[in-house]
């Protein structure tokens, strides 16, 4: 629940102030970074850390009198989006960072940490890094994944992403990578800058769904989509080419499975028509586009009920949907790239893009015994519980931020 910000005496030397820039803000409605900030603030343990979060608002939704509020104990400030097309995300980051620096300076906050999520604002970062240094601040950056490889961007935009990334790495005091593969890439690709890096993964919920198999909304969903528990493979994710929907659909159609393939995604008609022309999926009754599902407990139950889960992401870091699948679905079939294997390890099966590879793996998965599936599921859940639970992730972040606090004291 949002609360109005009140003045307090937080600006003491024992408190480490952390400004988070680059998410759309909290309460989280969608998106990996938004969920991250939600969990980071929700599960905060140390009273010596104070978060300040920049939040975005559409111009028509912005209310100056409601711009400042408290949520999960974090001081939040709303930034109004500028209506200038695709570049608005860049200017949003700039506006948010400008607000954060001004706030820290005005309130005489010593040694503030500015944590920027993603590498959008590289062409401006040198200027603002100087401003940060002037007030004794430090700049942390989460480089996210390989945004410059996403097929949705034009060649010009991809070049900008790569150039912007290089500048963010050059000027960042510390790069916090949510994937060991991304950390290795940053250290190798930009070794001329000798970047200081650390690895802290993304987190996941590890509790089972509170929804029962007899839940009315769940049963209606199954009836409407013509699906049955443990009789379908599942994928959940953004409907974009780099998530390899074409390969998953094509290979599924080649397999001999009698199970269905449910795709929970926000369908783009243009990409859907492209897939239809390339694969002819509309002639296979097993392929079922199931729309979106924003009820997190129902979605978790659907993951638990799936016979198997496909994951075709190949350009991100530690992907939230993969963590959610490994924590809920027993049998996971992952594209064999470094990001996915470092997370799944021995708790998943792996496929590549070679013709027939995934189809063969699906046929093998169909022949697995319930005990075999349960065993690999236990391995996956232990992996998530041990290394990717939000409590552990929050501990790592607070230890990192308070390490800066100790530097202040000395």
């Amino acid at each position: 629940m949002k609360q109005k910000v009140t003045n307090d005496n937080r600006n003491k030397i024992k408190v480490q102030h952390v400004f988070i820039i680059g998410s759309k803000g909290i309460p989280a409605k969608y998106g990996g970074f938004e969920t991250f900030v939600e969990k980071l603030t929700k599960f905060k343990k140390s009273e010596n850390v104070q978060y300040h979060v920049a939040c975005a608002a559409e111009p028509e939704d912005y209310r100056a009198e409601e711009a400042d509020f408290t949520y999960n104990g974090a001081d939040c400030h709303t930034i109004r989006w500028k209506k200038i097309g695709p570049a608005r995300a860049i200017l949003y980051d700039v506006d948010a960072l400008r607000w954060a620096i001004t706030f820290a300076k005005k309130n005489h906050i010593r040694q503030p940490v500015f944590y920027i999520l993603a590498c959008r604002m590289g062409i401006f970062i040198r200027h603002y890094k100087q401003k940060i240094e002037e007030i004794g601040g430090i700049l942390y950056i989460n480089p996210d994944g390989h945004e410059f490889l996403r097929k949705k961007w034009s060649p010009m935009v991809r070049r900008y992403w790569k150039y912007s990334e290089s500048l963010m790495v050059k000027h960042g005091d510390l790069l916090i990578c949510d994937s060991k593969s991304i950390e290795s890439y940053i250290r190798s690709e930009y070794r001329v800058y000798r970047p200081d890096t650390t690895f802290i993964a993304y987190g996941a919920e590890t509790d089972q769904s509170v929804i029962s198999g007899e839940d009315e909304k769940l049963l209606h969903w199954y009836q409407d989509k013509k699906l049955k528990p443990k009789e379908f493979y599942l994928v959940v994710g953004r409907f974009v080419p780099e998530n390899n929907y074409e390969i998953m659909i094509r290979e599924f159609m080649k397999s001999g499975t009698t199970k269905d393939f449910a795709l929970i995604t926000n369908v783009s008609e243009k990409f859907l028509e492209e897939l239809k022309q390339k694969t002819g999926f509309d002639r296979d009754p097993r392929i079922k586009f199931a729309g979106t599902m924003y009820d997190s407990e129902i979605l978790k139950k659907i993951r638990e009920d799936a016979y198997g889960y496909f994951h075709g992401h190949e350009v991100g870091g530690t992907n939230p949907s993969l963590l959610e699948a490994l924590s809920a679905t027993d049998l996971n079939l992952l594209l064999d790239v470094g990001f996915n294997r470092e997370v799944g390890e021995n708790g998943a099966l792996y496929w590549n893009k070679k013709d027939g590879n995934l189809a063969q793996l699906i046929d093998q998965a169909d022949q697995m015994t319930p005990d075999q599936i349960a065993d690999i599921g236990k391995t996956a859940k232990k992996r998530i519980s041990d290394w990717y639970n939000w409590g552990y992730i929050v501990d790592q972040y607070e230890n990192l931020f308070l390490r800066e606090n100790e530097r202040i004291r000395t």
Side-chain angles (χ1 to χ4, degrees), residues 265-407:
T265 183
N266 53 333
V267 172
S268 156
E269 291 300 327
K270 180 180 179 181
F271 186 36
L272 185 68
E273 184 60 31
E274 181 181 326
L275 288 178
K276 187 184 297 184
Q277 295 300 321
K278 289 182 176 180
T279 68
F281 73 80
D282 53 317
R283 298 189 294 273
D284 190 329
R286 299 173 299 171
I287 309 292
K288 296 179 178 177
F289 281 87
T292 55
M293 171 55 70
Y294 295 114
D295 186 317
S296 60
E297 290 300 323
I298 292 288
L299 181 57
K300 188 183 297 185
K301 183 61 176 174
I302 292 170
R303 290 183 189 275
E304 293 169 358
D305 285 348
Y307 181 83
Y309 185 88
F310 298 138
H311 188 74
H313 292 51
E314 64 175 328
V315 301
T318 302
N319 186 266
S321 65
L322 173 57
L323 300 179
E324 291 163 359
L326 289 168
S327 67
T329 309
D330 285 333
L331 184 59
N332 289 274
L333 288 68
L334 317 182
L335 177 62
D336 193 1
V337 294
F339 312 118
N340 298 336
R341 190 173 279 275
E342 79 172 61
V343 176
E345 290 193 343
N346 296 326
L349 305 179
Y350 296 90
W351 51 274
N352 59 47
K353 293 184 177 184
K354 292 181 180 178
D355 185 34
N357 183 267
L358 176 55
Q360 184 179 22
L361 188 62
I362 293 170
D363 290 337
Q364 292 174 359
D366 276 0
Q367 300 304 312
M368 293 177 68
T369 67
D371 286 345
Q372 288 175 319
I373 294 174
D375 285 344
I376 198 170
K378 289 177 183 176
T379 301
K381 290 176 177 61
K382 188 175 188 307
R383 175 80 177 138
I384 299 302
S385 179
D386 287 350
W387 298 104
Y388 294 92
N389 71 81
W390 279 116
Y392 175 65
I393 302 304
V394 168
D395 278 343
Q396 289 184 293
Y397 267 103
E398 291 188 2
N399 288 339
L400 175 65
F401 294 142
L402 291 175
R403 196 184 311 159
E404 182 63 19
N405 184 269
E406 290 300 316
R407 184 178 74 81

Side-chain angles (χ1 to χ4, degrees), residues 243-260:
N243 289 349
N244 289 295
Y245 282 94
E246 180 181 346
I247 292 175
M248 291 188 290
I249 291 172
R250 190 186 304 279
E251 292 291 311
F252 185 89
M253 293 173 65
K254 288 180 181 178
S255 76
T257 185
T258 59
K259 296 177 174 58
D260 292 315

Side-chain angles (χ1 to χ4, degrees), residues 22-30 33-35 37-38 53-56 92:
S23 78
K24 295 181 179 69
I26 49 178
K29 298 178 182 178
Y30 48 80
F33 277 141
E34 290 70 39
T35 300
V37 179
E38 176 94 21
V53 181
C55 306
Y92 163 66

